[in-house]
Amino acid sequence: MRWLGKWLLPWLMIPFAALAESVGPELSELPLEDLLKLEVTSVSKKTQALTDAPAAIFVITQEDIRHSGATHVADLLRMVPGMDVARIDANKWAVNARGFNGRFANKLLVLIDGRSIYTPTFSGVYWEAIDLILEDIERIEVIRGPGAALWGVNAVNGVINIITRHAADTQGGLAFFGGGSELRGFGGARYGFRLGDKNYGRVYIKGTRHDDLVRADGGSAGDDWSIISGGLRMDFHPGANDTLMLQGHAYGGDIDQGIYTVALAPPDYTFVQDHATQSGWHVLTRWQHVLSPSSELRLQAFYDHSERDEIIMEQVNDVVDLDLQHQFNWGGWNDIVWGLEYRYTKDALRPPMNNFRLSPVGRDTHLASAFLQDQITLVPRALWLTLGSRLSHNTFTGFEIQPTARLLWAFHPKHRLWAAISRAVRTPSRSEEDTAGALTLGDPLKMRQNLLPLPLLVSISGNRNLRPEKLLAYELGYRFLPAPEMFVDLALFYHDYDDLVGQQPQSLRFQGTYVELPLRFANVRTADLYGLELAAGWQPAQWLRSDLAYTFLHTDIDTSKEGKGTQVEKSPRHQVSLQIRTHPWKAVDFDAWFRYVSPAEALFALDSRAKRISRYFALDLRLAWHPVEALELSVVGRNLVNSRHLEYVQENFVAPTEVQRSVYGRLKWCF
């Protein structure tokens, strides 16, 4: 990488260096050399330096968020190597790590302040329900690869932990508003206050309205959406060794979408404009008690309620979660973390359409688990071995065990080499066990299963005998600091999947006026994935910094048990993200973010073949001016290379839409 730093990157910087008539104050409060010393908690469920974390971890800091110009958490993840982020329509994203992306991506665990926002209906995340004030995010820790030994089932391909700021760090007022061509209008306010000597709090509110995107013919996609959210966070210090955090949040809004529904009479598919809604709220509390300088106890509980009203599904979910964790040092060379967790979920799922249903409508599910992890110091300040496992019992598949072993070797103060082998499982979702209904119509001239000149209805049914999807992951990482102004973080991995859930064809059924091809969810797939993930940063001057992320991913999915013609998703083989931040004048920031995504293929039930997604380039530019320290005026141009492009397609129901070039302005005032 030295040749890259010495020769290539300086040439890339020339246009920006020319802007720097005078060198302003330091670009970032966190120099690159200190970035690797940043404390993280998601890898081992305890505080440790990023450079000493034996996992493929990337941290998005508050500085990264501010310079990105992004307005949604999902878009921030595009800067992370190994992450595949694509916009499906104006209010939906496909987000996953290390392949298997899609609207219903189900191998990624996402948490906000330790609260899982995993949706049990399809084992994924409704990203459109998240609209945080980005200034209140402390950092986002992204782990690629299994985190199941500590975080449990479904932390298969990665863990995203969004950590908001302590209330003491958000004192005073913040107000912001703006609007633009696609992001039509947004605004919010937050006020932080003090209660007594060491107690702090903040309240906030935010509202956002997005315009709709367009279809390939340039027509409106009818997917405009809006959301308003608000809440509070209180941080108390009831004793010298105790802290207590209380958090509450509520949201609601419209999520319009264009939906295709199946019909057995021409024109086969009916396009429906769905005016869907979403709402929800949660409360969370966490108590931490320091038992000794090397021992700490933590107890967390949350209650989460959410509702969605769509033409394809009406959902109500209630989740109660209790989590206990204890960390202590034993013998001076064992750093042990253990914990217990119990989660209860109650849902009610009512599809309004007659040809689609879930049975039973309501279901209660339980998850109980225990974990133990020990970081053993083999050679002081040089070699550590981490062994751990989680044992859990869930309603869907019963007992599961998910072990891990990780080795970290600090053979030089500026070099770290780590290796890991882990097992993780994903349990089936409600939709995979209890779904029944029409999926799509097959063209009788294209479907080899149908020899009759009659319409072919493809239906899907759930399976209560599904086994968990299994992953055995092998990882190797190298993290080093070749110079104070440069860092390199490299990860290699090989993932071996077994018992992946696919759709197994059953015998054709003659239904009088049409032929039915029943599909049934079954553990019929295997897969092998390997790849390389690179993150590199270079800060040659205080006013200039660049961050590069590159991902190579090879995917090989075996669908031989599902018959010929089975669609297979193909993740982008190459992805590049290059961010350049400059501070050319004392009160001005100018940032550029370039992205390249190679071709991909997405499952698409409305066609007999997977939908091909062409490669695309994207460029975002941000210009910010601080006339006074408390005021920031900024303008951001997004996706400036092309007038519009396709990023992804939802597996079914939603019509393909394209992301447009856009611009927005923003005013932020701190008081």
Side-chain angles (χ1 to χ4, degrees):
M1 286 301 300
R2 282 185 175 276
W3 66 271
L4 183 65
K6 289 183 176 180
W7 301 105
L8 179 58
L9 289 180
W11 285 99
L12 294 174
M13 302 302 165
I14 287 178
F16 301 94
L19 295 172
E21 293 181 353
S22 63
V23 177
E26 195 170 352
L27 171 68
S28 168
E29 290 81 4
L30 196 64
L32 284 179
E33 189 174 18
D34 292 340
L35 180 62
L36 295 182
K37 301 175 184 176
L38 188 70
E39 291 186 338
V40 298
T41 57
S42 301
V43 174
S44 302
K45 279 201 170 186
K46 65 173 186 175
T47 302
Q48 62 184 155
L50 188 154
T51 191
D52 293 332
I57 183 171
F58 186 96
V59 177
I60 301 174
T61 66
Q62 178 54 225
E63 281 296 300
D64 296 328
I65 294 171
R66 186 167 70 87
H67 287 275
S68 70
T71 57
H72 194 276
V73 168
D75 288 324
L76 290 170
L77 300 172
R78 297 176 190 266
M79 68 178 71
V80 183
M83 292 298 302
D84 185 4
V85 180
R87 200 160 186 174
I88 296 173
D89 67 9
N91 55 60
K92 299 180 185 65
W93 283 263
V95 179
N96 208 0
R98 296 182 175 176
F100 298 105
N101 202 10
R103 165 62 167 168
F104 302 112
N106 51 26
K107 299 175 180 59
L108 183 70
L109 180 66
V110 182
L111 307 111
I112 300 178
D113 289 327
R115 176 180 61 93
S116 171
I117 56 173
Y118 157 91
T119 302
T121 305
F122 69 95
S123 299
V125 173
Y126 287 120
W127 291 95
E128 61 271 28
I130 307 170
D131 193 34
L132 304 174
I133 294 179
L134 299 185
E135 282 80 359
D136 288 349
I137 296 176
E138 172 76 26
R139 64 185 186 276
I140 302 174
E141 300 181 4
V142 183
I143 302 172
R144 294 100 62 193
L150 287 178
W151 297 102
V153 293
N154 303 318
V156 178
N157 278 21
V159 178
I160 296 174
N161 194 2
I162 302 168
I163 300 168
T164 63
R165 301 170 73 182
H166 192 283
D169 298 329
T170 55
Q171 293 296 287
L174 167 72
F176 61 90
F177 68 89
S181 58
E182 294 300 318
L183 188 59
R184 285 303 176 90
F186 62 90
R190 174 248 290 158
Y191 187 74
F193 50 88
R194 189 169 182 171
L195 297 170
D197 189 24
K198 296 182 179 178
N199 304 321
Y200 301 89
R202 69 167 174 263
V203 293
Y204 59 89
I205 187 169
K206 182 184 180 185
T208 306
R209 179 161 187 79
H210 294 254
D211 193 19
D212 49 14
L213 299 183
V214 297
R215 300 194 194 116
D217 61 5
S220 169
D223 53 0
D224 58 299
W225 65 297
S226 61
I227 183 171
I228 184 167
S229 59
L232 59 84
R233 171 172 172 156
M234 312 290 287
D235 287 285
F236 302 99
H237 292 263
N241 297 322
D242 297 276
T243 59
L244 178 66
M245 189 267 276
L246 176 64
Q247 182 186 96
H249 180 85
Y251 68 92
D254 303 319
I255 43 174
D256 290 354
Q257 53 189 345
I259 295 290
Y260 282 109
T261 61
V262 178
L264 286 173
D268 301 337
Y269 296 104
T270 302
F271 184 78
V272 179
Q273 184 62 50
D274 183 21
H275 301 289
T277 61
Q278 62 172 354
S279 62
W281 57 271
H282 80 266
V283 292
L284 180 148
T285 184
R286 182 190 305 143
W287 171 64
Q288 291 178 266
H289 179 67
V290 177
L291 299 168
S292 73
S294 60
S295 178
E296 182 178 279
L297 187 67
R298 194 191 79 161
L299 179 63
Q300 175 179 289
F302 72 80
Y303 180 85
D304 191 312
H305 174 83
S306 61
E307 298 184 23
R308 294 176 68 89
D309 186 359
E310 301 176 80
I311 195 171
I312 55 175
M313 183 82 74
E314 295 173 358
Q315 305 180 43
V316 179
N317 285 287
D318 291 278
V319 180
V320 177
D321 187 278
L322 302 172
D323 184 79
L324 172 69
Q325 177 183 313
H326 181 210
Q327 174 199 342
F328 64 98
N329 185 275
W330 180 57
W333 53 283
N334 289 274
D335 203 353
I336 299 173
V337 182
W338 68 274
L340 304 170
E341 183 181 15
Y342 171 73
R343 182 177 304 165
Y344 166 72
T345 303
K346 179 181 179 62
D347 66 29
L349 310 174
R350 295 183 177 84
M353 294 189 298
N354 294 328
N355 56 0
F356 194 77
R357 67 181 186 278
L358 272 89
S359 180
V361 170
R363 190 174 175 188
D364 298 349
T365 59
H366 304 267
L367 171 66
S369 63
F371 75 90
L372 173 66
Q373 178 166 289
D374 185 8
Q375 179 177 295
I376 307 165
T377 302
L378 301 178
V379 178
R381 296 184 297 278
L383 189 62
W384 297 267
L385 173 65
T386 301
L387 300 174
S389 183
R390 178 177 283 262
L391 177 65
S392 62
H393 184 275
N394 67 87
T395 300
F396 299 101
T397 61
F399 285 101
E400 303 294 344
I401 185 167
Q402 301 176 95
T404 187
R406 298 180 182 271
L407 189 67
L408 176 70
W409 182 24
F411 59 93
H412 185 276
K414 296 184 178 180
H415 296 255
R416 297 290 187 275
L417 183 66
W418 62 269
I421 178 170
S422 310
R423 181 181 188 271
V425 303
R426 182 189 74 84
T427 56
S429 65
R430 269 275 275 153
S431 58
E432 290 169 324
E433 285 210 340
D434 301 328
T435 295
L439 184 64
T440 184
L441 279 177
D443 186 336
L445 300 179
K446 295 181 179 178
M447 305 293 285
R448 65 179 65 243
Q449 299 93 332
N450 182 26
L451 301 179
L452 299 174
L454 296 174
L456 181 71
L457 175 71
V458 181
S459 64
I460 186 72
S461 61
N463 184 352
R464 283 288 182 102
N465 296 314
L466 286 174
R467 300 183 297 277
E469 295 184 333
K470 305 176 184 68
L471 165 65
L472 191 59
Y474 306 86
E475 299 175 277
L476 181 65
Y478 181 39
R479 196 175 287 134
F480 68 106
L481 200 69
E485 67 277 6
M486 179 180 288
F487 81 88
V488 177
D489 190 349
L490 178 68
L492 303 170
F493 68 90
Y494 172 71
H495 284 192
D496 183 6
Y497 297 87
D498 196 14
D499 281 337
L500 293 176
V501 175
Q503 298 169 3
Q504 190 173 40
Q506 310 295 303
S507 300
L508 289 173
R509 299 170 184 167
F510 179 66
Q511 303 287 13
T513 57
Y514 65 94
V515 176
E516 180 182 1
L517 172 60
L519 302 178
R520 189 171 189 238
F521 287 116
N523 298 99
V524 290
R525 290 187 175 187
T526 60
D528 297 285
L529 275 71
Y530 61 84
L532 176 152
E533 297 155 353
L534 170 69
W538 183 53
Q539 189 172 5
Q542 290 183 341
W543 57 272
L544 178 62
R545 172 175 162 177
S546 64
D547 291 279
L548 173 71
Y550 168 71
T551 303
F552 168 78
L553 176 66
H554 175 83
T555 307
D556 184 9
I557 302 175
D558 183 2
T559 61
S560 58
K561 295 180 181 178
E562 296 174 87
K564 295 182 179 179
T566 300
Q567 293 188 12
V568 181
E569 65 270 31
K570 292 183 180 177
S571 300
R573 195 175 180 85
H574 304 278
Q575 293 190 81
V576 177
S577 166
L578 176 62
Q579 294 177 282
I580 300 173
R581 309 177 191 176
T582 68
H583 194 73
W585 294 283
K586 183 177 181 180
V588 175
D589 294 335
F590 181 70
D591 308 307
W593 188 1
F594 168 83
R595 299 183 297 277
Y596 167 73
V597 180
S598 67
E601 291 188 7
L603 305 183
F604 192 48
L606 302 183
D607 203 342
S608 57
R609 295 181 178 177
K611 185 74 173 180
R612 178 177 172 79
I613 314 295
S614 301
R615 68 175 184 176
Y616 67 88
F617 298 87
L619 175 65
D620 298 348
L621 298 176
R622 173 182 176 270
L623 180 64
W625 176 44
H626 305 262
V628 293
E629 186 177 357
L631 184 65
E632 179 185 278
L633 302 170
S634 60
V635 59
V636 178
R638 306 189 65 190
N639 301 300
L640 298 176
V641 175
N642 302 303
S643 61
R644 63 176 191 258
H645 66 272
L646 182 69
E647 292 192 357
Y648 214 79
V649 177
Q650 180 164 317
E651 292 86 337
N652 50 19
F653 303 123
V654 176
T657 61
E658 298 188 349
V659 180
Q660 299 164 273
R661 178 187 295 143
S662 64
V663 62
Y664 74 87
R666 188 173 193 265
L667 182 148
K668 183 177 73 173
W669 177 40
C670 301
F671 55 96

